[in-house]
Amino acid sequence: AQTVTQSQPEMSVQEAETVTLSCTYDTSESDYYLFWYKQPPSRQMILVIRQEAYKQQNATENRFSVNFQKAAKSFSLKISDSQLGDAAMYFCAYSTLKAAGNKLTFGGGTRVLVKP
Amino acid sequence: EAGVTQFPSHSVIEKGQTVTLRCDPISGHDNLYWYRRVMGKEIKFLLHFVKESKQDESGMPNNRFLAERTGGTYSTLKVQPAELEDSGVYFCASRGLMNTGELFFGEGSRLTVL
């Protein structure tokens, strides 16, 4: 079974600075998706960024970028120029491509605090 | 377009009582999922509907949990009788036919069992 591990329960960053969230996963599959989801307080979880495992190029979405190391099974998220609105719980997630169900396996989450 | 909506946002019940959570997916989304996050732990998969059929219910913890999706629109998740360990946040998510891997989540229903 796949597992996803986020080793940082909480991270703090100064506004305008950069923070990197770590995520490691375990799988025996070669094709899969990896995701970072963000859940602001009392709001719904939204997709921040997605990475297909077959793509070597790291995904980027504006101030959010990932460092995908397939051999190491590592998928870290970098938030650049942090803003107050980035404060949230961040969840790393894995999805197999094989099953039609597309169910996600989540890590335990990392709370990001942004200091003004 | 409305997103995934869940009701109630918070429910407090006594052990042994029954609670029913409701999820309205994004209109037209055939795939509906239930997840649960207990006591700050990982978010765990409960089950997956495709229209009104249960595609995968491997994550349902026991027979005190009953999920339905009559007519393939909204879904309900009933817990009967509730136990203390059922406390947590129950998330619903949906997606359309195109499988990009992305799920669209609701805000969650927080359940507190006393």
Side-chain angles (χ1 to χ4, degrees), chain B residues 68-87:
Chain B
E68 295 180 321
R69 194 183 181 195
T70 306
T73 54
Y74 71 91
S75 174
T76 58
L77 180 65
K78 180 191 287 187
V79 185
Q80 179 183 31
E83 298 289 344
L84 299 178
E85 63 265 25
D86 300 332
S87 296

Side-chain angles (χ1 to χ4, degrees), chain B residues 15-78:
Chain B
K15 175 182 172 181
Q17 289 186 321
T18 298
V19 64
T20 300
L21 310 177
R22 172 170 169 148
C23 169
D24 286 74
I26 292 173
S27 178
H29 279 191
D30 288 338
N31 293 273
L32 186 149
Y33 303 78
W34 283 98
Y35 288 83
R36 176 173 78 165
R37 188 176 190 218
V38 175
M39 289 298 292
K41 295 187 177 178
E42 290 87 357
I43 300 170
K44 295 286 192 183
F45 167 81
L46 295 178
L47 88 160
H48 169 212
F49 283 100
V50 178
K51 296 186 179 179
E52 68 274 9
S53 300
K54 293 176 184 175
Q55 177 79 14
D56 181 353
E57 51 183 330
S58 61
M60 294 289 266
N62 52 60
N63 59 10
R64 295 186 294 103
F65 289 76
L66 175 64
E68 295 180 321
R69 194 183 181 195
T70 306
T73 54
Y74 71 91
S75 174
T76 58
L77 180 65
K78 180 191 287 187

Side-chain angles (χ1 to χ4, degrees), chain A residues 8-98:
Chain A
Q8 306 150 318
E10 186 174 287
M11 294 286 283
S12 184
V13 61
Q14 204 71 35
E15 197 175 6
E17 297 292 310
T18 295
V19 64
T20 299
L21 311 183
S22 65
C23 172
T24 58
Y25 60 94
D26 188 26
T27 183
S28 58
E29 299 175 343
S30 58
D31 289 325
Y32 47 87
Y33 288 121
L34 293 166
F35 308 87
W36 279 98
Y37 277 87
K38 167 187 176 182
Q39 186 182 25
S42 301
R43 301 277 302 277
Q44 69 232 75
M45 205 153 31
I46 57 172
L47 181 67
V48 174
I49 201 163
R50 171 179 56 229
Q51 176 81 42
E52 290 94 334
Y54 66 88
K55 290 187 178 178
Q56 293 184 342
Q57 186 173 5
N58 289 324
T60 298
E61 287 287 342
N62 300 313
R63 298 181 295 105
F64 298 87
S65 61
V66 298
N67 183 4
F68 173 48
Q69 301 291 325
K70 190 172 184 179
K73 296 180 182 174
S74 170
F75 183 62
S76 61
L77 174 71
K78 184 170 78 171
I79 307 173
S80 303
D81 185 27
S82 296
Q83 301 175 0
L84 295 178
D86 295 333
M89 281 292 293
Y90 286 79
F91 294 97
C92 179
Y94 169 103
S95 174
T96 177
L97 283 175
K98 287 185 178 178

